[in-house]
Amino acid sequence: MNKFFPILDWLPNYKTSFLRGDIFAGLTIGIILIPQGIAYSIIAGLPPIYGLYTALIPQLIYTIFGTSKQLSTGPTALDSLIIASGVSTLAIVGTDNYITTVLLLTIMVGVLQFLVGIFRLGFIVNFLSRPVLTGFVSAAAIIIAFSQLKDLLGLDVARSNQIHTIIVNLFEKITEINLNTILIGLGSILIIYGLKKIHKKLPGQLLVVIIGILVMKWFGNYLSDVEIVKDIPKGLPPFLMHRFDVSLMQKLLPIALTLAFTGFLQGISIAKTLDEDVIDSSLKPNKELIALGLGNMVGSFFGAYTFTGSFSRSAINKEAGANTAMSNVVAALFILITILFLTPVFYYLPKTVLAAIIITAILGMIKVKDMRFLWKTDKKDFIMMLVTLIITLTVGIKEGIMVGVMVSIFAVIFETSRPHMAVLGKVPNTAHFYRNKGRFNDVEIDKEFLIVRFDSQLYFANTNYFKEKLDELVYEKGEDLRLIIIDAEVISNIDSSGVFALNELLKKYNSRGIKIYFTNIKGPLRDAFAKSGLIKQIGVENCFMSIQEAVNNYLNKDNLDQERKYTQYLDQVN
């Protein structure tokens, strides 16, 4: 039962000393979730109540099946933007058809995450490299921030997920800025940042919500031009059945794949960050996928759209003293009370306040420090990040993530197809140390030996490079070359293409009178040599434990050959 229900790992051993921290953290997260849930559902193109639904059922499901103790889940800005950018092309925002399409998309995301977790395929997300993720998340944050300027400024601007379109639309309506709206919005931003400066734990978002509601309630007659949220229905979320339209599901599949993997990537990266200083971490990536998948599947029947882990709320959850996932239960109960009794309170909530909350929350997602780091350390990674950033900003969210994945895969293939290959020489005055001659100028290089180290597995993508590079090095050595020593210390694996390549090299160079020795052969490589029969071509006698042993063996044989030649000469003379 513990295997299928991770909650049983910690709940039976729950200590009363944990309760205080969990309750305080849960209440803190619940307070933050209310304005964020309302705001993020508006980004997704849904009525405000759906953000609160998403903070309820999925969070409870995750508590049962999730393995992170401090991950705070619920609606997020990134998922909301991906939903809006994708579904708005298939249905009109604000209609019942749009809502049912989003909920159908949510169950598809859940099924994908669940299946990937069940079949232990969580490693797939590794193809989304950190530079690509940096570019994608930063671009999404910029789009979200710019898309909220219409509510912050009180402008009637069409939705878009392309930065240049948003800027053009805003510029065209710049003369229609609503002064009252922008004053309330900018005031909210100043309050949020001001309270953060005083203390990180102060609930600035909740405070501006309260102030905004009170201002509109008391002075609404003077601020009739400021748009408010209005009615938010109260009561438990209704049970909704899906209409599984195959043609619609086919159109939704690319969006579902994007949400499934970005959602998991967000959740698992946040959970790993939270568990960095935990010695006995219970985090299991594939179980996290199952938990997110079940949360999305079950939640979709109760009005919840796609959910995942939130970095900002998870950090606050940890700082507030959360000891276990019980804090999620407390937060969900707080949301439940709000849904049942408190939603009418938010009638007068100004949309410009929600825009201020989103903008202040989202700006931290723009990874400026990571961009600077990539520029300083690795220009190739910086270019990958930049390509993803530009495509996401100018073409679209789905296209950005797809191009990012393709760029990541291309980078992996390119790097592994042309791995590092070092020529080794002996370190002077040592018995058996050999180093890369490209980094150590004083190493000793024997004109009869070519000692190489191939720093990768040998497989179909790099066998031609390996052969061509070895041929170049052999040509550089000239006619004095008598021995090639291949240091296989880093070659952890070899496929059939690699076996064929080595077989060709052995035949070619042995026919020229050049021996090939192998050293430091690891177990998996030895197994491959034995199974393929290549070891017969190489010869067991030509395999050694170290480079020095191979060199000594060759020198001893060479000396024996010289003695035999001298003895034959003496016999002829006599």
Side-chain angles (χ1 to χ4, degrees), residues 81-90 105 136 143 161 251-259 262 391-392 395-406:
L81 179 63
I82 295 172
I83 288 168
S85 64
V87 179
S88 61
T89 61
L90 303 173
L105 172 64
F136 174 70
I143 292 171
N161 65 330
K251 295 174 184 176
L252 288 172
L253 187 58
I255 312 168
L257 287 167
T258 303
L259 283 166
T262 55
I391 294 296
T392 306
V395 181
I397 300 292
K398 300 190 302 296
E399 292 81 2
I401 199 70
M402 289 171 66
V403 168
V405 171
M406 288 190 289

Side-chain angles (χ1 to χ4, degrees), residues 520-538:
N520 297 312
I521 307 173
K522 292 184 176 180
L525 196 59
R526 290 199 303 273
D527 295 341
F529 283 176
K531 289 177 183 178
S532 65
L534 184 64
I535 191 65
K536 294 178 182 178
Q537 182 73 11
I538 296 170

Side-chain angles (χ1 to χ4, degrees), residues 163-194:
I163 192 67
H164 54 281
T165 305
I166 296 172
I167 293 171
V168 169
N169 291 342
L170 287 170
F171 186 76
E172 288 175 350
K173 301 275 184 138
I174 199 73
T175 57
E176 300 175 15
I177 289 176
N178 186 300
L179 184 60
N180 290 329
T181 300
I182 193 172
L183 286 175
I184 294 172
L186 291 177
S188 300
I189 290 174
L190 290 174
I191 291 171
I192 292 170
Y193 276 124

Side-chain angles (χ1 to χ4, degrees), residues 79 106-119 121 256-265 285-297 306-308:
D79 280 2
T106 301
I107 196 170
M108 289 176 65
V109 171
V111 170
L112 286 169
Q113 290 175 330
F114 181 78
L115 291 176
V116 171
I118 286 290
F119 291 106
L121 301 174
L257 287 167
T258 303
L259 283 166
F261 291 114
T262 55
F264 170 60
L265 202 59
N286 286 306
K287 287 188 177 181
E288 286 294 295
L289 269 167
I290 292 171
L292 291 172
L294 288 171
N296 280 316
M297 283 192 285
T306 308
F307 87 112
T308 187

Side-chain angles (χ1 to χ4, degrees), residues 11 25 33 76 82 101 156 176 214 220 233 237 248 274 322 372 390 437 445 474 490 492 525 535 541 546-547 553 570:
L11 189 59
L33 253 174
T76 63
I82 295 172
T101 303
D156 183 16
E176 300 175 15
L214 293 175
L248 179 58
L274 294 171
R372 288 175 182 167
I390 293 170
K437 77 168 189 176
I445 304 292
V474 169
V490 189
S492 58
L525 196 59
I535 191 65
E541 70 279 4
S546 67
I547 296 173
N553 180 273
L570 290 176

